[in-house]
Amino acid sequence: MEASAQTNRTDPVRLKDYRPTPYAIRTIDLDVRLDPENTTVTARSRIEPREGTAPGTPLVLDGDELILTSVAIDGRALGTADYEATDKRLEIFAPPAGAFTLEVGTRIAPAKNTKLMGLYRTASNYCTQCEAEGFRRITYFYDRPDVLAVYTTRIEARKAEAPYLLSNGNLIERGDIAGTDRHFAVWHDPFPKPAYLFALVGGDFARISDTFRTMSGRDVTLEIYVEHGREDRGAYAMDSLKRSMKWDEEAFGREYDLDIFMIVAVSDFNMGAMENKGLNVFNDKYVLAKPDTATDQDYANIEGVIAHEYFHNWTGNRITCRDWFQLCLKEGLTVFRDQEFSSDQRSRPVKRISDVRLLKSHQFPEDAGPLAHPVRPETYHEINNFYTATVYEKGSEVVRMLKTLLGAETFRAGMDLYFARHDGDAATIEDFVACFAEASGRDLSQFMLWYKQSGTPELRVAQGYDASAKRYTLTIEQSCPPTPGQPTKLPMTIPVRFGLVGPNGADLAFEAVSGAEVAGDVIVVTEPKHEVVFEGVSAPPVPSLLRGFSAPVRLALELSAEASLFLLASDNDPFNRWQAAQTLATTALIEATRAVRAGAVPSIDPKLVDAFARVAVDDKVDPAFRALTLALPAEADIAREIGSDVDPDAIFAGRDALKKAIATGGRTAFRHLYESLASAEAYSPDAASAGRRALRNSALDYLAHAGETDSVMERYRTADNMTDRLAALGLVVGLGLPEAEAALIDFYSRFDGDGLVIDKWFTVQATAPLAATLDRVRALTEHPAFSLTNPNRFRSLVTAFATGNQTQFNRPDGAGYAFVADHVLTLDEINPQVAARLLSAFRSWRALEPRRRAYAEAELKRVLDKPGLSRDVADIANRSLG
Ligand code: B3K
Ligand code: ZN
């Protein structure tokens, strides 16, 4: 059904309606002749009815904005009475009874494709993006993940325009077309795959090559294609790829399977990267790095995304999803795998803390607002809107909980079983979980609720100690708030890793425990309420619960400030030491925010200031960990904790007060730190060096908040790498220092023409928490370097403003919302996916104080009322307004 102008509503797709296709497509031979305005595609597919398909059942294929030029079966052209074609579908009324060959000709215009789905132009190259439903923009096909075919792809183009012609699999033939300026290449991918994993690239690139010898001794060619002149920026990506390949062999026994693995970096891309079989296409920001253009965070992201896409070769490609509801089967699992990889390559606690910060700042708000959905959704209007923090990050947490519950060995046995049993399948979450049930002998039916119930569960915990009986009791209650479509919830299986920390900081032993299953150091919560009784506990402990953040839940446990300070100093679980600092800061921040709203001056507890200053200079602790501990909860984190009637200006002021109090109280410590961490060594992106830079920049941030701004400009000028230069620029601009304009001009002229760095220049300005920012952002949309068609550039300004600037997006006059809504509407006509993503910045609007809430609601309605809205944006607007 088409969207109607009044409501922009369509019927949803439902999990319960899943049916296999009546026909299977075994092979597809594509012949693609590249041309910007007039690319022709001939698709010859070998098709056969599935068992049980009645003879004459129509064959209905998907299409999108296609022009059909020919259609033939077994070599005979069909007459117009035999089929119906629209730009959305091709129906063959009565296909032959047995197997047959369908040949379909289509015409497309890559240069006009601004949605960046299907075949499009980037720079002067051609590339594709097919997940989730882009293949239907290339030819008519069963564009769904449960139809697996063997692809052979012939590409033809003018040699000068596209010296490289790439597709999935192995290259089997290439050559010139005699008497023309054209050439061709033929690729064959022996692994049956769904259409979303198809890729094709044609263009002129610089190539970086290497090889990898697999565990069984096969040599694999590795190639990374980048824009000419960027060859010096691909080394870290290549190194990350080789480390990923090795790690997957060691950690999961997974070996690469083709003769070649290629990565192409492009500058126009809707998302981060895409795991097409043997031919990953990447947003160039996750490939290109050198010290003076990329930050430590960029390097870490490159390592993580390269690994993620590579790991998809087994979790996503060899075993794919039956339908898009199962998206977390590949995404959650692959995020888990890339997180584990980065933990092994870097510091495990530091990685865990970063991941949990991301989860809490992105997924928790999603789960608490109108866009909440289960890790495995049951309906969707537009699948591209479900590539969310819930599917990815919470999806990963669910896999992590399986490992926590079953233990490392049994978890690995379950994974081995999954790979062995489902290789070559389009599988479901049930298939996946069954492997762990079987490997462990555990009934995981309650565990399945993690995939089905949305919302963040809460654990409410109370404690008691009976000194004479040496008995310690934890009363644990679980609940989960209502979410869209799910007013009530069932109790879930929640693994709570714990320790009972004794007075000397070591975990206390206990003789017996009752009231819940306790496996090693994990309490397995399954009931609405447990009274967990520990016998033989020699002293009153401080409970350290949810160590390593063993479940994606909120923990409500009344701990005194003394107890939190004690955990911060003594807990043997690094994650909970960090959490203790967060808890202390959050409590102080909520109080400070309240004071600001009441018109009072926030008073900050000197003990807290002292604790932060002590952490800063504690040389026994890893610098990266100290930097994370010193980072106060973000404004959005505080908003989430406050939950309703949120006033972002008060939060900012409260946070600023705490930051300044810590800065002033710890000034000597920060000065010492800043000076002692100065390094004369050449930049290296390794985790230890990055940790030292992070700590030093954190010290600089505090010094600047204590009014010592001279160091900041000095830092900007003398920086020999992007991490330090950008940190300083962020402070100069964010604090509105007098040198801000000069620094911005300098930065621009240093990096003019370097797209990824100019993105940072836009973002620094868009995220400055200053009253003048909206006007500046508006002016920047007129800057010659701004672009509506390049997603990175658009996001660097408009999306960064909406998602990275709490006070200015949420201006009390509603002007921030209006600006963003205008851009959603403008961009929707160009690139609906990126527009829909931008609109989801409104997802927490209901938690705002009434005035802002009314403005935000009005803008959401204005968006929804626009006739002809894309399905992408209409879906987000409809669900946001709920
Ligand atoms: N699978 C792709 C994401 C595709 C998004 C489509 N809207 C990248 C990834 O998660 O690895
Ligand atoms: Zn992925």
Side-chain angles (χ1 to χ4, degrees):
M1 191 174 94
E2 282 299 303
S4 87
Q6 275 72 38
T7 63
N8 280 309
R9 273 182 200 275
T10 53
D11 285 339
V13 184
R14 294 178 202 280
L15 170 58
K16 69 174 171 47
D17 293 341
Y18 172 82
R19 304 280 178 281
T21 55
Y23 295 88
I25 305 183
R26 301 296 178 198
T27 62
I28 172 168
D29 294 353
L30 285 160
D31 187 332
V32 182
R33 309 204 174 174
L34 294 173
D35 179 86
E37 302 291 336
N38 186 14
T39 289
T40 60
V41 179
T42 309
R44 192 177 306 110
S45 303
R46 192 68 193 154
I47 302 182
E48 61 191 45
R50 293 192 199 272
E51 227 180 277
T53 295
T57 300
L59 172 70
V60 183
L61 302 178
D62 306 298
D64 186 20
E65 296 183 18
L66 291 174
I67 298 171
L68 180 73
T69 54
S70 65
V71 49
I73 285 183
D74 293 332
R76 277 196 316 277
L78 296 193
T80 46
D82 301 329
Y83 67 91
E84 183 186 59
T86 68
D87 78 326
K88 294 273 179 249
R89 62 202 278 281
L90 170 64
E91 175 169 353
I92 314 271
F93 299 131
F100 59 95
T101 299
L102 172 71
E103 190 177 299
V104 175
T106 49
R107 214 167 57 209
I108 48 183
K112 296 211 174 74
N113 183 353
T114 59
K115 294 182 178 169
L116 312 189
M117 287 297 286
L119 178 67
Y120 65 92
R121 298 276 279 175
T122 169
S124 48
N125 303 315
Y126 298 85
C127 85
T128 55
Q129 171 57 34
C130 291
E131 188 178 2
E133 298 179 332
F135 193 71
R136 64 185 62 183
R137 294 166 62 76
I138 297 173
T139 187
Y140 291 100
F141 200 69
Y142 274 139
D143 191 8
R144 42 186 281 173
D146 61 345
V147 174
L148 276 57
V150 169
Y151 283 65
T152 305
T153 306
R154 181 182 181 283
I155 316 166
E156 191 186 304
R158 283 199 310 114
K159 218 172 167 175
E161 187 184 35
Y164 288 109
L165 301 172
L166 314 174
S167 191
N168 318 90
N170 299 315
L171 179 68
I172 53 172
E173 201 189 336
R174 59 178 299 171
D176 293 340
I177 297 172
T180 71
D181 60 352
R182 302 172 72 79
H183 71 153
F184 72 96
V186 183
W187 293 82
H188 176 74
D189 180 2
F191 294 93
K193 65 169 175 287
Y196 82 86
L197 289 173
F198 170 77
L200 174 161
V201 171
D204 192 2
F205 299 93
R207 183 170 74 185
I208 304 160
S209 305
D210 210 326
T211 58
F212 178 81
R213 177 159 296 174
T214 70
M215 59 186 181
S216 72
R218 279 188 312 104
D219 285 320
V220 178
T221 301
L222 309 179
E223 292 177 346
I224 299 185
Y225 292 82
V226 301
E227 190 187 321
H228 281 292
R230 302 285 193 241
E231 298 85 326
D232 59 338
R233 303 190 191 188
Y236 191 75
M238 183 64 91
D239 182 55
S240 302
L241 174 61
K242 290 198 284 186
R243 286 185 282 119
S244 304
M245 295 177 86
K246 181 129 188 63
W247 184 90
D248 213 15
E249 293 182 345
E250 288 166 1
F252 283 96
R254 298 298 107 200
E255 186 177 3
Y256 187 63
D257 49 15
L258 290 165
D259 302 338
I260 183 166
F261 185 82
M262 296 172 282
I263 291 174
V264 180
V266 301
S267 50
D268 301 274
F269 208 62
N270 279 350
M271 57 227 115
M274 180 62 213
E275 70 264 23
N276 318 299
K277 182 79 187 189
L279 177 56
N280 287 188
V281 178
F282 267 62
N283 186 323
D284 58 2
K285 78 187 259 196
Y286 295 118
V287 174
L288 302 176
K290 61 177 182 174
D292 53 334
T293 62
T295 62
D296 290 328
Q297 188 59 53
D298 292 328
Y299 277 94
N301 291 344
I302 288 169
E303 182 182 79
V305 178
I306 293 267
H308 179 97
E309 306 310 331
Y310 173 73
F311 297 156
H312 267 314
N313 191 54
W314 274 95
T315 50
N317 302 3
R318 292 283 290 249
I319 307 180
T320 193
C321 301
R322 188 193 72 173
D323 53 71
W324 288 124
F325 296 101
Q326 321 295 329
L327 184 57
C328 64
L329 177 74
K330 73 179 180 79
E331 295 305 348
L333 177 55
T334 305
V335 170
F336 171 76
R337 279 153 50 69
D338 84 57
Q339 290 174 342
E340 286 299 288
F341 166 73
S342 294
S343 298
D344 284 346
Q345 303 286 310
R346 294 165 175 252
S347 148
R348 184 164 282 271
V350 165
K351 175 64 178 156
R352 185 64 186 142
I353 293 165
S354 315
D355 290 341
V356 172
R357 277 173 56 141
L358 187 80
L359 181 82
K360 288 190 173 178
S361 63
H362 287 76
Q363 200 280 324
F364 277 29
E366 186 165 272
D367 238 356
L371 300 181
H373 55 273
V375 170
R376 182 176 65 184
E378 286 174 13
T379 66
Y380 63 77
H381 287 87
E382 172 50 62
I383 188 56
N384 284 312
N385 288 337
F386 283 83
Y387 289 74
T388 59
T390 297
V391 169
Y392 277 65
E393 269 70 39
K394 189 175 179 181
S396 164
E397 294 301 318
V398 174
V399 177
R400 189 173 297 281
M401 283 190 288
L402 267 179
K403 184 171 178 186
T404 303
L405 281 169
L406 307 186
E409 259 175 50
T410 310
F411 176 77
R412 174 68 198 267
M415 285 298 303
D416 288 349
L417 182 58
Y418 175 64
F419 290 126
R421 182 180 287 172
H422 292 291
D423 186 13
D425 286 354
T428 62
I429 287 299
E430 280 75 7
D431 294 331
F432 177 69
V433 174
C435 293
F436 295 93
E438 214 165 299
S440 65
R442 238 188 133 98
D443 177 357
L444 293 174
S445 45
Q446 188 190 31
F447 187 83
M448 277 297 293
L449 291 173
W450 279 108
Y451 289 103
K452 298 179 180 172
Q453 292 193 159
S454 56
T456 306
E458 180 172 279
L459 290 179
R460 198 156 270 287
V461 182
Q463 52 170 336
Y465 183 67
D466 178 342
S468 58
K470 298 206 180 315
R471 179 179 299 139
Y472 179 69
T473 307
L474 284 172
T475 307
I476 307 178
E477 287 177 83
Q478 65 161 305
S479 62
C480 186
T483 44
Q486 299 188 342
T488 58
K489 307 289 164 82
L490 295 168
M492 331 236 306
T493 308
I494 303 177
V496 180
R497 201 180 284 285
F498 76 105
L500 307 180
V501 186
N504 68 359
D507 286 3
L508 293 173
F510 50 88
E511 283 158 11
V513 58
S514 59
E517 178 192 343
V518 175
D521 59 353
V522 177
I523 304 172
V524 185
V525 170
T526 53
E527 302 293 325
K529 181 172 179 172
H530 289 264
E531 193 129 305
V532 189
V533 180
F534 299 87
E535 305 287 352
V537 180
S538 58
V542 175
S544 170
L545 302 181
L546 227 54
R547 280 181 165 173
F549 204 62
S550 59
V553 301
R554 298 167 65 100
L555 177 63
L557 163 68
E558 295 289 327
L559 272 194
S560 65
E562 281 65 37
S564 288
L565 286 166
F566 172 71
L567 289 180
L568 171 58
S570 314
D571 198 327
N572 69 32
D573 180 59
F575 179 86
N576 269 5
R577 281 207 302 279
W578 170 81
Q579 182 60 59
Q582 291 289 297
T583 306
L584 285 162
T586 303
T587 310
L589 288 164
I590 292 174
E591 273 167 26
T593 303
R594 275 205 198 107
V596 172
R597 276 197 97 177
V601 178
S603 78
I604 310 291
D605 181 356
K607 281 212 282 301
L608 180 62
V609 172
D610 188 51
F612 271 76
R614 252 182 299 127
V615 169
V617 289
D618 184 351
D619 288 340
K620 293 188 294 302
V621 180
D622 174 10
F625 179 85
R626 282 189 266 161
L628 283 169
T629 307
L630 289 173
L632 294 180
E635 292 152 72
D637 293 316
I638 307 163
R640 189 190 65 237
E641 291 304 316
I642 292 175
S644 61
D645 195 26
V646 166
D647 173 353
D649 286 331
I651 291 177
F652 181 84
R655 187 173 184 275
D656 200 48
L658 177 61
K659 196 155 185 189
K660 288 192 169 127
I662 296 175
T664 315
R667 186 192 296 248
T668 326
F670 294 125
R671 171 58 58 195
H672 165 76
L673 204 55
Y674 184 69
E675 270 150 25
S676 66
L677 284 166
S679 156
E681 279 166 36
Y683 176 92
S684 152
D686 67 90
S689 312
R692 285 192 295 275
R693 274 186 294 274
L695 183 57
R696 186 160 193 244
N697 285 324
S698 163
L700 182 67
D701 184 347
Y702 277 108
L703 286 174
H705 281 82
E708 295 195 21
T709 51
D710 292 355
S711 321
V712 181
M713 267 321 282
E714 198 229 23
R715 188 86 209 99
Y716 175 79
R717 274 191 297 268
T718 58
D720 68 349
N721 63 78
M722 182 52 78
T723 305
D724 292 338
R725 194 183 302 283
L726 189 64
L729 183 70
L731 284 173
V732 176
V733 175
L735 292 171
L737 301 185
E739 300 90 342
E741 295 311 318
L744 284 167
I745 289 170
D746 175 79
F747 191 90
Y748 194 92
S749 62
R750 271 176 203 262
F751 299 106
D752 193 2
D754 198 329
L756 296 174
V757 186
I758 298 303
D759 289 341
K760 299 181 195 301
W761 181 82
F762 278 100
T763 298
V764 160
Q765 298 175 76
T767 53
L770 306 171
T773 291
L774 178 57
D775 284 340
R776 178 181 284 265
V777 171
R778 226 182 248 126
L780 284 170
T781 61
E782 306 291 321
H783 191 284
F786 180 70
S787 163
L788 289 167
T789 52
N790 175 259
N792 283 359
R793 184 55 48 80
F794 181 85
R795 285 186 288 242
S796 77
L797 183 66
V798 184
T799 310
F801 172 76
T803 59
N805 196 333
Q806 290 294 309
T807 54
Q808 304 314 304
F809 171 57
N810 294 296
R811 280 165 60 116
D813 62 1
Y817 305 140
F819 168 79
V820 171
D822 284 344
H823 275 80
V824 168
L825 292 175
T826 309
L827 189 64
D828 194 35
E829 298 184 358
I830 299 168
N831 189 331
Q833 242 178 74
V834 176
R837 198 45 82 107
L838 172 61
L839 186 62
S840 63
F842 284 89
R843 67 185 173 196
S844 299
W845 69 275
R846 276 185 205 283
L848 293 163
E849 52 80 21
R851 193 182 142 120
R852 288 178 173 87
R853 192 166 64 212
Y855 281 127
E857 182 173 20
E859 292 303 329
L860 281 166
K861 286 191 170 142
R862 177 163 72 90
V863 169
L864 186 60
D865 283 346
K866 175 157 174 206
L869 217 51
S870 71
R871 193 167 55 191
D872 310 58
V873 167
D875 171 42
I876 298 288
N878 270 313
R879 284 192 287 138
S880 298
L881 288 163

